[in-house]
Amino acid sequence: MTQAQSSNDRPKVVIDDVELKGTLLPEAVQERLVTSLKQHEYEEGSDWVKDMEDTVVHAEVEGWPNRENQGYLGFSVSAEWKPLRREPGTLHVLVTVSVNEGQQKRLKAIEFRYVRDRLGRPVFDSDDLRKLIPLNDSEIYNRDKFYAGLVAVSHAHYERGFIGLTSNVEMQSDQTNQTVAIFVELNEGQPYRWGNIQVIGLDPKIETLLRSRLKAGSLVNPKLIDDFYRDNKSLLPVGTSPQNVKWQHNAERATVDLTFDFSIPGSL
């Protein structure tokens, strides 16, 4: 039986030259990237072209992290190669890497759509949700502003008990007018209510204050917990925070049980 060929015996791909096209990275960064790519050696049968593309993508993202905050959408990288010569066990190639930095887009509109899996009207209308996105129509698209607004949309629902909210974002680019329209699909799920609340190691007076805010059967609102820790910081054991609270969801009953353990800060 013939033994499997060892990795040292497999034909290698050696990159003799790299042509980098379309990139807007600084010249010095481009030179370092090309040098790095030429230093790599790959097995001929491997997916080495994809590895090269991934290396360029990483360099582009690292070199221009604010690309999408400046409105540039449609970024892509593709690589092609052609053989230069073959030696025993080695294929020498020329690689051409084409970078599409994308085009700067302005925001056309943001539209919210609810996926209905429960009866009744949505808890918020689209106009109210739109006000939570700090990005105006016709403004240059900014990724961080948009997703910060999406977080605000989530928190607004959480404060009404809809802690199972899910969202799906679809972006449609208009290459003629260089705009982008964003469609946000929301599924509220069911509203959750507070269930059993267990408090360990807390002064009875402060515990009474906590329970007065989180009444069993009332709609879940994570902000109430954050507010309690903030407003009573000087009265609570050092090191305790909302992150120490243990949440236990019951999807069937649509309830959340909470455990506050103040006896060992940070233990949960």
Side-chain angles (χ1 to χ4, degrees), residues 182-213:
I182 304 177
F183 301 92
V184 182
E185 195 172 75
L186 299 173
N187 188 336
E188 294 171 329
Q190 56 187 336
Y192 277 70
R193 297 182 180 274
W194 296 124
N196 180 58
I197 298 175
Q198 183 179 13
V199 182
I200 303 169
L202 190 61
D203 180 273
K205 291 183 180 180
I206 306 176
E207 179 179 340
T208 299
L209 178 60
L210 172 60
R211 291 185 181 278
S212 70
R213 298 193 181 197

Coordinates of all heavy atoms in Angstrom, one line a residue, residues 182-213:
I182 N -33.0 51.2 3.6 CA -32.9 50.2 4.6 C -34.2 49.7 5.1 O -35.1 50.6 5.4 CB -32.0 50.7 5.8 CG1 -30.7 51.2 5.3 CG2 -31.9 49.6 6.8 CD1 -29.8 51.8 6.4
F183 N -34.4 48.4 5.1 CA -35.7 47.9 5.5 C -35.4 47.0 6.8 O -34.6 46.1 6.7 CB -36.4 47.0 4.4 CG -36.7 47.8 3.2 CD1 -35.7 47.8 2.2 CD2 -37.8 48.5 3.1 CE1 -36.0 48.6 1.0 CE2 -38.1 49.3 1.9 CZ -37.2 49.3 0.9
V184 N -36.0 47.3 7.9 CA -35.8 46.6 9.1 C -37.1 45.8 9.5 O -38.2 46.4 9.7 CB -35.5 47.6 10.3 CG1 -35.2 46.8 11.6 CG2 -34.3 48.5 9.9
E185 N -36.9 44.5 9.4 CA -38.1 43.6 9.7 C -38.0 43.2 11.2 O -37.0 42.7 11.7 CB -38.0 42.4 8.9 CG -39.2 41.5 8.8 CD -39.1 40.5 7.7 OE1 -38.3 39.5 8.0 OE2 -39.7 40.6 6.6
L186 N -39.1 43.5 12.0 CA -39.1 43.3 13.4 C -40.1 42.2 13.7 O -41.2 42.2 13.2 CB -39.5 44.5 14.1 CG -38.5 45.7 14.0 CD1 -39.1 47.0 14.6 CD2 -37.2 45.4 14.6
N187 N -39.7 41.3 14.6 CA -40.7 40.3 15.2 C -40.7 40.5 16.7 O -39.7 40.2 17.4 CB -40.2 38.9 14.8 CG -41.3 37.9 15.2 OD1 -42.1 38.1 16.1 ND2 -41.2 36.7 14.6
E188 N -41.8 41.1 17.2 CA -41.8 41.4 18.6 C -41.8 40.2 19.5 O -41.2 40.2 20.6 CB -43.1 42.2 19.0 CG -43.2 43.5 18.3 CD -44.6 44.1 18.5 OE1 -45.6 43.3 18.6 OE2 -44.8 45.3 18.6
G189 N -42.4 39.1 19.1 CA -42.5 38.0 20.0 C -43.6 38.3 21.0 O -44.5 39.2 20.8
Q190 N -43.6 37.6 22.1 CA -44.6 37.8 23.1 C -44.1 38.7 24.3 O -42.9 38.7 24.6 CB -45.1 36.5 23.7 CG -44.0 35.6 24.3 CD -44.5 34.3 24.6 OE1 -45.7 34.0 24.9 NE2 -43.6 33.3 24.7
P191 N -45.0 39.5 24.9 CA -44.5 40.3 26.1 C -44.3 39.4 27.3 O -45.1 38.6 27.6 CB -45.7 41.3 26.3 CG -46.9 40.5 25.8 CD -46.4 39.7 24.6
Y192 N -43.1 39.6 27.9 CA -42.8 38.9 29.1 C -43.1 39.7 30.4 O -43.1 40.9 30.4 CB -41.3 38.5 29.2 CG -40.9 37.3 28.3 CD1 -41.0 37.3 26.9 CD2 -40.5 36.1 29.0 CE1 -40.6 36.2 26.2 CE2 -40.2 35.0 28.2 CZ -40.2 35.1 26.9 OH -39.9 33.9 26.1
R193 N -43.4 38.9 31.5 CA -43.8 39.5 32.8 C -42.8 38.9 33.8 O -42.3 37.8 33.7 CB -45.2 39.3 33.1 CG -46.2 40.0 32.1 CD -47.6 39.8 32.5 NE -48.5 40.5 31.5 CZ -48.8 41.7 31.5 NH1 -48.4 42.5 32.6 NH2 -49.6 42.3 30.6
W194 N -42.6 39.7 34.9 CA -41.8 39.2 36.0 C -42.5 38.1 36.7 O -43.7 38.1 37.0 CB -41.5 40.3 37.0 CG -40.8 41.5 36.5 CD1 -41.2 42.8 36.6 CD2 -39.5 41.6 36.0 NE1 -40.2 43.7 36.1 CE2 -39.2 42.9 35.7 CE3 -38.5 40.6 35.7 CZ2 -38.0 43.3 35.1 CZ3 -37.3 41.0 35.1 CH2 -37.0 42.3 34.8
G195 N -41.7 37.0 37.0 CA -42.2 35.9 37.7 C -41.7 35.9 39.1 O -41.8 36.9 39.8
N196 N -41.0 34.8 39.5 CA -40.5 34.7 40.9 C -39.2 35.6 41.0 O -38.3 35.5 40.1 CB -40.2 33.3 41.2 CG -39.6 33.1 42.6 OD1 -40.2 33.5 43.6 ND2 -38.4 32.5 42.7
I197 N -39.1 36.3 42.1 CA -37.9 37.2 42.3 C -37.3 36.8 43.7 O -37.9 36.9 44.7 CB -38.3 38.7 42.3 CG1 -38.9 39.1 41.0 CG2 -37.1 39.5 42.7 CD1 -39.4 40.5 40.9
Q198 N -36.1 36.3 43.6 CA -35.4 35.8 44.8 C -34.2 36.8 45.1 O -33.5 37.2 44.2 CB -34.8 34.4 44.6 CG -34.1 33.9 45.8 CD -33.6 32.5 45.6 OE1 -33.5 32.0 44.4 NE2 -33.2 31.8 46.6
V199 N -34.2 37.3 46.4 CA -33.2 38.2 46.8 C -32.4 37.6 47.9 O -33.0 37.2 49.0 CB -33.8 39.5 47.2 CG1 -32.7 40.5 47.6 CG2 -34.7 40.1 46.1
I200 N -31.1 37.6 47.8 CA -30.2 36.9 48.8 C -29.2 38.0 49.3 O -28.5 38.6 48.5 CB -29.4 35.7 48.2 CG1 -30.4 34.7 47.7 CG2 -28.5 35.1 49.3 CD1 -29.8 33.6 46.9
G201 N -29.1 38.1 50.7 CA -28.0 38.9 51.3 C -28.2 40.4 51.2 O -27.2 41.1 51.2
L202 N -29.4 40.9 51.1 CA -29.7 42.3 51.0 C -30.4 42.8 52.3 O -31.3 42.1 52.8 CB -30.4 42.6 49.8 CG -30.5 44.1 49.4 CD1 -29.2 44.7 49.1 CD2 -31.4 44.3 48.1
D203 N -30.1 44.0 52.7 CA -30.8 44.6 53.9 C -32.3 44.6 53.6 O -32.8 45.0 52.5 CB -30.3 46.0 54.1 CG -31.1 46.7 55.2 OD1 -32.1 47.3 55.0 OD2 -30.6 46.7 56.3
P204 N -33.2 44.2 54.5 CA -34.6 44.1 54.3 C -35.3 45.3 53.7 O -36.2 45.3 52.9 CB -35.2 43.7 55.6 CG -34.1 43.0 56.3 CD -32.8 43.7 55.9
K205 N -34.8 46.5 54.2 CA -35.4 47.8 53.8 C -35.1 48.0 52.3 O -36.0 48.4 51.5 CB -34.9 48.9 54.6 CG -35.4 48.9 56.1 CD -34.9 50.1 56.8 CE -35.5 50.1 58.3 NZ -35.0 51.3 59.0
I206 N -33.9 47.7 51.9 CA -33.5 47.9 50.5 C -34.2 46.8 49.6 O -34.6 47.1 48.5 CB -32.0 47.9 50.3 CG1 -31.3 48.9 51.3 CG2 -31.6 48.2 48.9 CD1 -29.8 48.8 51.3
E207 N -34.3 45.6 50.2 CA -35.0 44.6 49.4 C -36.4 45.0 49.2 O -37.0 44.7 48.1 CB -35.0 43.3 50.2 CG -35.7 42.1 49.5 CD -35.6 40.8 50.2 OE1 -34.7 40.6 51.1 OE2 -36.5 39.9 50.0
T208 N -37.1 45.6 50.1 CA -38.5 46.1 49.9 C -38.5 47.1 48.8 O -39.5 47.1 48.0 CB -39.0 46.7 51.3 OG1 -39.0 45.7 52.3 CG2 -40.4 47.2 51.1
L209 N -37.5 48.0 48.8 CA -37.5 49.0 47.7 C -37.3 48.3 46.4 O -38.0 48.7 45.4 CB -36.3 49.9 48.0 CG -36.1 51.0 46.9 CD1 -37.3 51.9 46.8 CD2 -34.9 51.9 47.3
L210 N -36.5 47.3 46.3 CA -36.2 46.5 45.0 C -37.5 45.9 44.6 O -37.9 46.0 43.4 CB -35.1 45.5 45.2 CG -34.9 44.5 44.1 CD1 -34.5 45.3 42.8 CD2 -33.8 43.5 44.5
R211 N -38.2 45.2 45.5 CA -39.4 44.5 45.1 C -40.5 45.4 44.7 O -41.4 45.1 43.9 CB -39.8 43.6 46.3 CG -38.9 42.4 46.5 CD -39.4 41.5 47.6 NE -38.5 40.3 47.8 CZ -38.5 39.2 47.1 NH1 -39.3 39.1 46.0 NH2 -37.7 38.3 47.4
S212 N -40.5 46.6 45.3 CA -41.5 47.6 44.9 C -41.4 48.0 43.4 O -42.4 48.5 42.8 CB -41.5 48.8 45.8 OG -40.3 49.6 45.5
R213 N -40.2 47.9 42.9 CA -40.0 48.3 41.5 C -40.3 47.1 40.6 O -40.7 47.3 39.4 CB -38.5 48.7 41.3 CG -38.1 50.0 42.1 CD -36.8 50.5 41.6 NE -36.4 51.7 42.3 CZ -35.5 52.5 41.9 NH1 -34.9 52.4 40.7 NH2 -35.1 53.6 42.6

